[in-house]
Amino acid sequence: MKHKAWSGRFKEATNKLVEEMNASISFDKRLYKFDILGSIAHAMTLKKAGILSDKEAKKIINGLKSVEKEIDAGKIEFTAAMEDIHMAVESRLTEKIGALGGKLHTGRSRNDQVALDIRLFLKDQIFEIIHLLHGFRQALVDVAEVNMDVIMPGYTHLQRAQPVLLSHHLLAYYEMFVRDAGRLIDCLDRMDEMPLGAGALAGSPYKLDRHYTAGLIGFSRVTENSLDSVSDRDFIIEFLSAASIMMVHFSRLSEEIILWSSQEFGFVELSDAFSTGSSIMPQKKNPDIAELARGKSGRVYGNLISLLTTMKALPLAYNKDMQEDKEPLFDTVDTIKAILSVYGPMLRTMKVNKDKMLRATETGFLNATDAADYLASRGVPFRQAHEVAGKAVGYCIEKGKTLDMLTFDEWKALSPVFGKDIKAAVSIKRSLNTRKVYGGTALETVKKRLKAVKKEMSGGCC
Ligand code: ARG
């Protein structure tokens, strides 16, 4: 029977199928750097507690560092028999430094070890994601600035509604992605607790200075309850939730890019470098990246649901079910990072068809609200003003006209309140520029917001 770290009480060897199913090494090997970092901190804590001598701690730490180098260099071939990354590192350490390697696990369990590893991994990745997110927001801001004078139809129900600036539309996404960054920062703060010392579930009988360990590996706090320390995966769920919300934003933006680059809209054209073709239809230029970003929202939400479902009925404390936390987490991290990396360059190289967007504001009566507002601002109750403007739209549809084509006599016939200045009041540019309310789409308001946003961005990513 092959020896396993836990096989003291076992008489039979592990069934091959059990070994395969039980192993997490194929995916948790990517935690090796964090596992080794945690082990070094643990060795130092054991030294501080008088469990390891200076010499022993040094030997263990140097051994761990050389295991890390071997893994970096791809020299260790991971197999299912190794079970998981914690066992793999420990057994290689023991091969290298002898029985002393077996002292490292004093006062520790894989349960608190894995809880630490994932926190370290996720902290590291969230920093990276926040940084990528900042770069992507910069792309949104730059594209908004370059296209400051582009007017387009704003929609409700995907029906033309009122004219807006393209930059205002893009900055709407900026706001969403700022909230996403905020959620990630909140998540980082809440997960900033060090679980080592919880042991298997009940805490450790050794005098481990948990605050010292936390300081060594950059945690601000230690976890408060040993049972919770090894059972908690809220921080992953919270990250997956924040990632899912971010994917809602990417999916909505993608949907718009896909619509806008269709021939029906023709508002934008993605560059060749960020488009793909069809194997059968030579004319095709497809927005695959936007489609994939929209599509990948499915797997990210799926990952969230997967972990919520895994966790929902687990009794305290650790259960092996929890090994299922890693793949959804890794997949989400990889997906989000890939989208964040490609999306900025895609937007920056997108051609904006300014004329087509402006022309689209000229039909569809996007200025009908302005006709109603004209009357309302001259004392007509808005409901009545709405009715008159609606009649004006009906009249135009009948005559095949747009509102700005109506003569003064035609306006007068609709309501005696209309003066000669109604013509100017329903111009698209004016419609847009009257919306000076804080947060509105008037050019000067958007310019002010852009200035504030640029200042916000120059302050860094968090
Ligand atoms: N590979 C395990 C996981 O990812 C590590 C913890 C194992 N703990 C245990 N008691 N078997 O969850």
Side-chain angles (χ1 to χ4, degrees):
M1 173 180 148
K2 257 196 260 150
H3 179 75
K4 292 203 184 300
W6 41 256
S7 63
R9 63 153 291 169
F10 288 78
K11 292 198 177 69
E12 287 175 59
T14 315
N15 178 292
K16 260 274 155 270
L17 296 172
V18 172
E19 190 164 272
E20 285 295 333
M21 188 161 175
N22 194 37
S24 52
I25 189 79
S26 62
F27 48 88
D28 67 15
K29 61 184 177 202
R30 83 186 262 184
L31 294 174
Y32 77 94
K33 274 195 186 289
F34 305 102
D35 193 73
I36 289 171
L37 181 69
S39 287
I40 291 175
H42 184 59
M44 290 170 76
T45 310
L46 289 176
K47 184 178 91 173
K48 189 164 187 276
I51 296 154
L52 292 178
S53 69
D54 279 8
K55 225 172 121 198
E56 287 176 325
K58 210 174 194 171
K59 207 166 168 197
I60 288 179
I61 292 169
N62 286 338
L64 285 165
K65 285 183 183 161
S66 82
V67 174
E68 181 174 8
K69 282 209 184 91
E70 282 182 5
I71 304 178
D72 284 343
K75 284 195 189 138
I76 296 186
E77 203 196 312
F78 294 109
T79 62
M82 293 171 170
E83 199 172 325
D84 57 28
I85 189 63
H86 326 294
M87 295 290 209
V89 169
E90 190 187 313
S91 73
R92 184 65 192 128
L93 175 71
T94 307
E95 272 169 28
K96 283 171 103 61
I97 66 167
L100 172 63
K103 280 199 179 182
L104 175 63
H105 213 52
T106 316
R108 186 176 71 168
S109 154
R110 277 185 293 161
N111 299 351
D112 56 352
Q113 192 176 354
V114 74
L116 175 75
D117 291 6
I118 326 170
R119 280 172 195 264
L120 285 171
F121 166 81
L122 191 50
K123 268 175 85 174
D124 177 71
Q125 293 300 307
I126 291 180
F127 276 120
E128 220 179 279
I129 290 171
I130 289 174
H131 180 74
L132 287 170
L133 184 53
H134 185 264
F136 167 65
R137 287 206 311 277
Q138 188 64 57
L140 276 174
V141 173
D142 292 345
V143 176
E145 185 168 28
V146 171
N147 293 287
M148 199 34 127
D149 58 339
V150 177
I151 300 173
M152 63 176 283
Y155 295 83
T156 62
H157 312 267
L158 202 55
Q159 306 290 320
R160 289 181 190 169
Q162 289 171 349
V164 293
L165 286 178
L166 171 63
S167 38
H168 192 53
H169 196 110
L170 292 174
L171 290 179
Y173 282 99
Y174 173 87
E175 305 297 339
M176 298 176 220
F177 288 106
V178 166
R179 292 196 292 272
D180 288 329
R183 267 182 282 273
L184 290 172
I185 291 164
D186 289 353
C187 179
L188 263 183
D189 179 53
R190 238 182 314 279
M191 65 184 282
D192 190 12
E193 294 183 344
M194 203 288 301
L196 273 193
L201 73 164
S204 170
Y206 302 97
K207 282 206 175 88
L208 303 178
D209 182 345
R210 301 187 59 218
H211 293 92
Y212 169 73
T213 325
L216 289 176
I217 35 181
F219 282 92
S220 320
R221 305 180 297 275
V222 299
T223 51
E224 293 293 337
N225 179 300
S226 63
L227 289 163
D228 181 48
S229 308
V230 292
S231 319
D232 173 31
R233 294 294 182 270
D234 289 2
F235 58 98
I236 308 184
I237 295 174
E238 197 174 339
F239 167 72
L240 295 178
S241 309
S244 295
I245 298 174
M246 195 195 300
M247 288 305 294
V248 174
H249 302 150
F250 269 118
S251 189
R252 295 183 75 173
L253 176 58
S254 298
E255 174 74 9
E256 304 213 273
I257 301 289
I258 294 160
L259 284 172
W260 293 355
S261 55
S262 70
Q263 280 183 34
E264 282 67 16
F265 277 77
F267 286 179
V268 298
E269 187 183 345
L270 294 175
S271 77
D272 283 1
F274 288 87
S275 307
T276 49
S278 155
S279 59
I280 175 169
M281 296 168 283
Q283 84 283 13
K284 290 299 289 289
K285 181 170 166 184
N286 297 327
D288 286 33
I289 294 305
E291 292 171 82
L292 283 168
R294 184 179 59 183
K296 283 176 190 292
S297 59
R299 66 197 286 164
V300 173
Y301 308 161
N303 290 337
L304 169 64
I305 297 299
S306 152
L307 188 59
L308 282 169
T309 313
T310 298
M311 295 302 295
K312 81 172 175 51
L314 296 187
L316 299 186
Y318 177 83
N319 301 270
K320 193 61 174 245
D321 315 43
M322 290 158 75
Q323 182 164 284
E324 293 292 313
D325 61 355
K326 283 164 213 64
E327 288 159 295
L329 170 62
F330 295 159
D331 184 68
T332 300
V333 162
D334 295 341
T335 303
I336 290 267
K337 279 165 66 178
I339 294 172
L340 282 169
S341 305
V342 73
Y343 224 102
M346 182 177 85
L347 288 187
R348 285 180 187 285
T349 52
M350 174 179 86
K351 195 176 136 240
V352 172
N353 200 339
K354 183 178 165 182
D355 292 341
K356 194 88 194 266
M357 283 191 171
L358 184 63
R359 261 182 280 129
T361 65
E362 287 160 5
T363 51
F365 305 102
L366 285 88
N367 44 2
T369 320
D370 301 284
D373 284 332
Y374 178 98
L375 296 176
S377 62
R378 282 160 185 77
V380 179
F382 187 78
R383 281 287 149 247
Q384 232 172 289
H386 184 289
E387 178 77 18
V388 174
K391 289 237 158 35
V393 170
Y395 175 80
C396 284
I397 293 172
E398 227 172 79
K399 300 279 172 199
K401 289 184 169 189
T402 59
L403 285 175
D404 56 327
M405 287 158 87
L406 291 183
T407 63
F408 178 55
D409 288 342
E410 285 171 313
W411 282 113
K412 260 295 190 243
L414 286 155
S415 163
V417 182
F418 284 121
K420 288 231 152 86
D421 52 351
I422 178 63
K423 210 158 177 71
V426 293
S427 98
I428 291 296
K429 252 204 177 125
R430 209 194 121 128
S431 159
L432 186 112
N433 284 324
T434 52
R435 292 179 158 74
K436 287 196 187 95
V437 68
Y438 192 89
T441 195
L443 181 63
E444 72 178 70
T445 313
V446 176
K447 274 188 172 161
K448 264 191 221 151
R449 180 61 192 143
L450 187 81
K451 205 168 154 203
V453 158
K454 282 169 74 178
K455 197 160 162 233
E456 210 168 86
M457 288 296 292
S458 66
C461 49
C462 9

